[in-house]
Each structure stands twice: as C-alpha cells, then as structure tokens.
Amino acid sequence: MKRYVCQVCGYVYDPAQGDPDNGIAAGTPFEKLPDSWECPVCGASKADFAPEA
Amino acid sequence: MEPLQIAPGIYSVGVRDWTIRDFHGYSTDLGTTYNAFLIVDEQVALIDSVKAEFADELLAHIARVIDPRRIDLVVSNHTELDHAGGLARVMHRIGEEKPLYCSKMGAKNLARHFPRKWNYRAVGTGEELRLGRRTLRFLETRMIHWPDSMFTYVVEDGILFSSDGFGQHYAGPETFDDETGERILPHAKKYFANILLPYTGLIEKLLQQVEALRLDIRMICPDHGVLWRKDPGRILEAYRTWCRQEPGRRAVIVYDTMWHSTEKMAAAIHEGIAAEGVSCRPMHLRAFHRSEIVTEIFDARAVVVGSPTLNNGLFPTVADFLCYLKGLKPQNKIGAAFGSYGWSGEAVRLIEEELERMKIPRIQEGLRVPFVPEGETLEACRAFGRAIGRAVVESTAVPA
Ligand SMILES: [Fe+2]
Ligand SMILES: [Fe+2]
Ligand SMILES: [Zn+2]
C-alpha cells in the first residue's frame, strides 16, 4: 500500500498505521479514506496529498 | 510608545522585550517585540496576545485606551506562545466566555496549550466578521509557519495583521518602517532565513494568492518588530526575492577548531576562495551564533564546513550547526568539507554525509590533514579553496 505525503506540512499518511486518532483503522489505504478526512497535522484536504516519491 | 494609535480607532498595544537575547535558539541581539492590536468599533476586538510574562503590561496598555472588560472578542492568528502565552491572563480579565477567533488548527492547538474550554470560533480563508464600521477578513496561512497560522485583514482600513509573516526580531524606539528606513531589512532577512526558510514554496503561493485577491494593502502589521506603513510593497517585494533563494557570488566557511589546525586550514581555504574573486567570510562556530551563520549562508552559494575529529566524531558545535541547517532546508547551495585530525579522522566524512542528506552537492572530495597543516598541506588547502571559488564563479551571476 502506497504512502501519501501532505504537500502543505510534510505529514506522511501510512496506510499500515492509519489515523486512529481520527477514526481511521490501521490498514486503510489512502484511496479508501473518506473525502472529509483531513491532514491531522495541518488540516489540509485529501487533494493536498501526493504519493510518496 | 504603546498604546499608539496606528489608524483611527486602531491601536498598537503590544510590548517590547528589550532584554531577550536568545529566542528559542535564535540570537536576538536587540531584543524583540510581541505586537498586539486593539480595534475599537461597535465591537471591540483584540488581535493577538503576547508572551505570558508580559500579559499584565499588555493589559495596562489596553486599559489606557479602554476598560479591558469591554473587549468583545479576541483573534488569535498563531498559537505559538510568544503570541498566545498571555491569553490565559487576557481571557480571565476580559471574560472567559468571550469568543476567541482562530483557524481550525488554531482551536485544536490552543486546546493543547490551555486546559480551559474557551469559546473557540474556528474561521477559514475568506470568512468575515463585522465589527461595526469595520470588517475583519481571515486568511489561513498553514505552515507559514505553523499549521494554525493565519492573517487577519481589516477591509476598510487596508491593514493586514500578518502574525509572524514579514516580522523582524527587533526592539527599538521606532514603531514604523519610515522611522527605521532600510536598516530594518537585514533584521527581516535574518527572520526569513531562520524561521521561514523551509516554507518558501508555500510563501510564494501565498504571495500569489494575496495578489490574486487584489487586496488594497495600506499597512502590514506583523507580530514582531516594526510595522510596514510607508511602503508595505517593499517587504512584499523582498519576500518575493528571498523565496527564490538565488545565491550570490559568495562562500561561507563554517568551522570549529581544537588546537588551531582546522582553523589554519580554514584560513588557507579562505585565501584560495578569495583569490578567485569570491567574497567569503570564515565563521568560527563559537564566535558567531548559528542564526547569524544561517543568515550569511542564505546569501551564499558555497557552504564549506570544517571540523576536527573529537572521539571519532564531529566536534559538537559542528553537529549542532549541521542539525540546525538541515531543518531549514536551504536550496541552491554547493558544499565541501575539511578538517584536521589526530588518528582516526571521521569528521570530514560525517559532514559530507550530512550535506548529502541536505541534497547539497559536493564540489570536491573533503580535505583531511593529520595534526598540524604546514607547507604542502597548506598549499593543498589553498588549491581546495581555489576549486571552491571557481565552482562558485561558474554557477553564479556576475555581481551587480
Ligand atoms: Fe511563530
Ligand atoms: Fe512569533
Ligand atoms: Zn498537513
């Protein structure tokens, strides 16, 4: 599963970890994140993420 | 001095910290200021607070304009404690139930600093708040330089309260750019180089966004240093230039030394660089503060780092400097490493590894000299410097 990087603050979404603080279970791929999900660090939207190089 | 009316009904009520000399690791040789602003309209608004230990001074400044309890709302543009630390005192004095406007990340981050459940009103870019005659418009500036950062613009007066943006760590008798003249710019540049450098890509986008909004900006009021009222375009233009990080025809030699051997190397390398017509400053890490060094590097093409080997590693001040520089993600640099050593000599390789992590290309392989440099090895240092000088000349424009 691909990791995605927030283009605003550099936070890395790792599907293996998920984002449990915001109700995203470990193992959730980036594509399956709800559209309302936001970067937990800076609040940027999903559209502000890019696949990790 | 505060309180000072900067526009009809708008007062500067912040404080001057004359004595601070170390601002979280940034050298503030002339101190700094924590600016805050009071807008007296049908609703009275306080824009930003100050460091906790100055909260009473802030409240005293406000009290000379209006009873602090008459403040109806607070805007917090940035959570960092030099601007939010005083909020606990301020909210206690004006009324804990008063609305506190901030970005969404601001509400989240303030809650992590202050246990009290305040009446947070999260606002986003473009949202407006009418005070009466005046309107506040908010503009989020995420990661410039914290996730919570935002600007507040007073539509009718054309005043941009820009939080840390366009600020300078400078405390003086002056309040405005027309009182300091151009000599405030080096302070603004040092602030940019040491605080905002990692975010130049975002700042460029923000400047474009501001331009597209066609805001009539008549005054820019940052939270540190003087206010830009004579020519706000001057600092906007400077930021545009600084964002490009275009290096000048310059080099910086950053080093430390135990028994003057690495220092002798630095002097010979300096000779070589200067012989190629490149302006160069050697900076001993215990003579120059790391934030002064970064400001010098900001304008330079080549970063030349020297360290003796101490107990198989880097000299501690060199490690400190490399750690600091790496976090700032400088662009458009080239580098080289050198150092004297006794028996094992790991330092030069360790510097090169750090430069590589910073994506600073190596001009040439590092230069190591056992114990004390003399005749032949000093000549090698001069040749090393000349190669650096030539690399700088080849990759920079002719100085204007
Ligand atoms: Fe800040
Ligand atoms: Fe600040
Ligand atoms: Zn982010």
Side-chain angles (χ1 to χ4, degrees):
Chain A
M1 277 186 293
K2 204 144 185 53
R3 289 156 37 112
Y4 278 71
V5 185
C6 174
Q7 302 300 296
V8 177
C9 73
Y11 163 84
V12 179
Y13 177 76
D14 180 356
Q17 310 280 319
D19 178 14
D21 286 349
N22 294 294
I24 305 295
T28 308
F30 182 80
E31 296 72 21
K32 290 274 165 67
L33 290 169
D35 287 339
S36 58
W37 181 82
E38 293 171 338
C39 172
V41 175
C42 76
S45 71
K46 256 183 98 174
D48 288 316
F49 279 71
E52 194 174 41
Chain B
M1 295 305 291
E2 289 73 21
L4 183 80
Q5 190 160 211
I6 61 168
I10 303 184
Y11 300 83
S12 174
V13 289
V15 303
R16 288 163 213 241
D17 188 346
W18 300 102
T19 45
I20 188 171
R21 290 295 176 267
D22 182 325
F23 186 95
H24 65 44
Y26 176 128
S27 63
T28 46
D29 301 336
L30 294 169
T32 190
T33 74
Y34 314 114
N35 300 340
F37 304 92
L38 186 73
I39 306 179
V40 180
D41 206 319
E42 281 164 35
Q43 294 201 82
V44 179
L46 174 67
I47 314 271
D48 294 325
S49 170
V50 296
K51 251 189 180 180
E53 57 264 45
F54 291 94
D56 285 329
E57 196 178 332
L58 167 71
L59 286 164
H61 293 164
I62 294 169
R64 280 184 215 144
V65 180
I66 199 169
D67 180 344
R69 284 169 300 186
R70 284 193 49 204
I71 293 175
D72 295 293
L73 61 106
V74 177
V75 175
S76 174
N77 282 316
H78 181 26
T79 308
E80 202 167 3
L81 287 170
D82 48 338
H83 311 294
L87 279 179
R89 276 294 286 131
V90 167
M91 296 308 286
H92 178 73
R93 181 75 184 275
I94 71 172
E96 310 272 6
E97 74 293 347
K98 299 276 172 75
L100 210 167
Y101 289 81
C102 55
S103 67
K104 190 178 53 185
M105 297 310 290
K108 192 171 157 187
N109 290 348
L110 283 173
R112 284 172 172 150
H113 285 85
F114 302 98
R116 185 111 194 183
K117 297 254 174 299
W118 284 322
N119 180 9
Y120 294 117
R121 302 275 175 90
V123 286
T125 293
E127 277 188 61
E128 293 189 343
L129 174 64
R130 269 211 84 79
L131 296 178
R133 197 182 74 70
R134 296 179 195 76
T135 314
L136 302 183
R137 187 183 295 164
F138 305 104
L139 174 64
E140 284 190 77
T141 60
R142 276 183 205 147
M143 297 316 293
I144 306 171
H145 68 127
W146 274 23
D148 46 69
S149 299
M150 70 171 193
F151 290 176
T152 299
Y153 177 66
V154 188
V155 179
E156 293 76 9
D157 298 270
I159 298 179
L160 184 68
F161 295 107
S162 60
S163 184
D164 281 330
F166 314 115
Q168 334 95 45
H169 281 315
Y170 174 82
E174 310 90 346
T175 303
F176 298 102
D177 57 343
D178 44 280
E179 296 171 288
T180 61
E182 288 283 299
R183 73 193 155 80
I184 196 62
L185 279 170
H187 297 282
K189 187 196 263 186
K190 180 179 177 183
Y191 192 92
F192 186 94
N194 283 276
I195 307 275
L196 298 174
L197 198 61
Y199 312 110
T200 50
L202 293 170
I203 297 168
E204 270 181 326
K205 277 192 212 152
L206 175 69
L207 292 171
Q208 287 162 8
Q209 191 188 352
V210 168
E211 214 164 299
L213 288 170
R214 298 190 166 278
L215 300 181
D216 167 29
I217 299 176
R218 279 170 266 163
M219 202 190 305
I220 296 178
C221 299
D223 274 352
H224 299 289
V226 302
L227 316 180
W228 307 92
R229 91 175 155 186
K230 178 172 170 249
D231 188 8
R234 182 77 184 86
I235 190 64
L236 289 169
E237 188 48 44
Y239 265 49
R240 254 176 238 121
T241 306
W242 294 339
C243 278
R244 291 198 290 273
Q245 298 197 46
E246 271 166 20
R249 187 163 279 186
R250 298 165 75 152
V252 185
I253 300 172
V254 186
Y255 71 99
D256 209 323
T257 193
M258 291 167 70
W259 296 106
H260 300 296
S261 290
T262 301
E263 185 163 61
K264 282 179 186 143
M265 292 180 76
I269 292 167
H270 179 247
E271 250 180 75
I273 293 174
E276 296 294 335
V278 171
S279 134
C280 176
R281 189 193 292 272
M283 301 181 96
H284 186 304
L285 275 157
R286 280 175 286 162
F288 290 91
H289 193 272
R290 66 171 88 79
S291 51
E292 291 296 340
I293 294 174
V294 158
T295 310
E296 187 79 15
I297 288 174
F298 179 68
D299 286 324
R301 173 69 169 148
V303 185
V304 187
V305 185
S307 176
T309 295
L310 175 64
N311 300 327
N312 307 98
L314 286 170
F315 197 75
T317 55
V318 178
D320 169 296
F321 159 73
L322 289 168
C323 170
Y324 185 61
L325 185 67
K326 183 166 65 182
L328 292 167
K329 302 192 176 82
Q331 306 293 313
N332 306 328
K333 306 298 175 200
I334 52 178
F338 67 96
S340 152
Y341 65 101
W343 45 97
S344 60
E346 288 90 343
V348 169
R349 181 176 48 78
L350 291 168
I351 293 168
E352 290 182 328
E353 284 172 11
E354 280 303 305
L355 292 176
E356 202 180 317
R357 281 189 201 105
M358 292 184 235
K359 303 188 176 69
I360 296 179
R362 195 168 73 172
I363 300 165
Q364 58 192 323
E365 198 175 317
L367 184 61
R368 307 190 315 157
V369 169
F371 287 114
V372 181
E374 37 68 64
E376 232 171 74
T377 43
L378 278 177
E379 199 39 60
C381 290
R382 279 186 282 270
F384 187 79
R386 293 197 82 120
I388 293 166
R390 284 193 298 275
V392 170
V393 169
E394 280 159 19
S395 60
T396 50
V398 184

